[in-house]
Amino acid sequence: MTVRPIVIYGTPVLHNPTELVTEPVSELAELIADMYETMEVAHGVGLAANQIGVNKRIFVYDCPDDEGVFHRGCFINPVLETSDIPLGMPATDGSDEEGCLSLPGLGFPTGRADWAKVTGLNEQGEEVTVEATGFLARCFQHEVGHLDGFVYADVLQGRWKRAAKKAIKREGWTEEGLTWMPGVDPDPFGHDQVEQED
C-alpha cells in the first residue's frame, strides 16, 4: 500500500464528473488499498478516487455513525439516494460542520439530507447497499458529490459560501496541480498536535 498525495481544490479532476469503472474489479485492488491507506494516514473519514487524481467513480470510507460505531467500506460506481435536503442555512452549533481533505484545514456548516442510501459494488465485486443517517449519511453525500464533480464548498449557502471563496483565494487554491502529502506535510486539521499531546 502506498500513501498518495491529495489533490487540492482548483485542480480540474475535482471539478468534473468521474468516469464509470468498466474494468474488472480485480484490477482495482492496488488503487483501493492505496485509497484506504491514504485516508487513514490523512485522518479522513472518506476519500474519493479523484481526490488522489484518479478519474474513476470509486470512494472508500471509515466513518462513525451518530452512535460512534465505525463503518468501513468501498463503493465502486455508487448510486446515491437521499431524503430531502433541508432548506435554509445549516446549523452553526457544530452539528452541520463539514471539512474536506481537498480543502485542507477548512470547515463550514453544510446542509445535508439526514438519510442516505448508496448502492454499488464493493472491492470484491459484490453488489451492496448501505443505508445511513446523520454523520454517516453526510459522509456518503460528500463522497458521491466528489465523484459527481463537486467539492462541498460548491454547495455552501449565504455567508458560508462567501467565506469559503475568500479562504480559497487567500490560500492560493485557484490554480491547478496543488497537493498535500499525508504523513509528510503537517496535518492541516491538527491531528498531529493532538497525537503529540497524548
Side-chain angles (χ1 to χ4, degrees):
M1 293 182 290
T2 303
V3 176
R4 301 202 195 184
I6 293 177
V7 175
I8 293 175
Y9 188 94
T11 297
V13 72
L14 292 174
H15 304 287
N16 293 289
T18 51
E19 296 176 356
L20 285 171
V21 172
T22 56
E23 62 264 48
V25 171
S26 58
E27 295 180 12
L28 302 170
E30 183 178 347
L31 169 62
I32 292 169
D34 289 355
M35 289 175 67
Y36 276 122
E37 181 74 6
T38 302
M39 175 180 63
E40 181 179 334
V41 173
H43 303 285
V45 295
L47 185 73
N50 55 341
Q51 289 185 273
I52 58 169
V54 177
N55 188 28
K56 292 188 183 297
R57 195 169 179 82
I58 305 170
F59 79 85
V60 297
Y61 62 98
D62 190 1
C63 182
D65 59 24
D66 286 349
E67 285 73 49
V69 177
F70 275 79
H71 301 263
R72 180 179 168 95
C74 170
F75 276 104
I76 300 165
N77 294 336
V79 175
L80 175 72
E81 297 175 53
T82 69
S83 57
D84 291 337
I85 296 172
L87 299 175
M89 293 296 285
T92 56
D93 62 1
S95 61
D96 282 343
E97 188 80 7
E98 199 162 314
C100 180
L101 296 175
S102 291
L103 285 165
L106 300 183
F108 296 99
T110 309
R112 296 288 189 186
D114 189 55
W115 173 87
K117 180 171 79 170
V118 180
T119 302
L121 301 179
N122 65 14
E123 55 260 62
Q124 284 79 45
E126 304 160 335
E127 184 164 317
V128 291
T129 298
V130 179
E131 290 189 52
T133 58
F135 189 71
L136 185 59
R138 177 179 294 277
C139 174
F140 287 169
Q141 292 167 79
H142 183 111
E143 299 309 327
V144 173
H146 274 301
L147 301 180
D148 291 342
F150 298 100
V151 179
Y152 86 106
D154 300 328
V155 300
L156 295 175
Q157 297 180 34
R159 67 182 181 274
W160 305 120
K161 190 173 196 72
R162 292 189 296 275
K165 284 183 179 179
K166 286 181 182 176
I168 288 165
K169 187 175 181 181
R170 181 181 67 243
E171 296 291 340
W173 297 336
T174 53
E175 59 184 81
E176 62 182 82
L178 300 175
T179 63
W180 70 279
M181 189 66 184
V184 175
D185 294 329
D187 187 292
F189 293 98
H191 294 103
D192 295 339
Q193 295 167 353
V194 172
E195 289 173 1
Q196 289 168 2
E197 291 169 3
D198 291 344

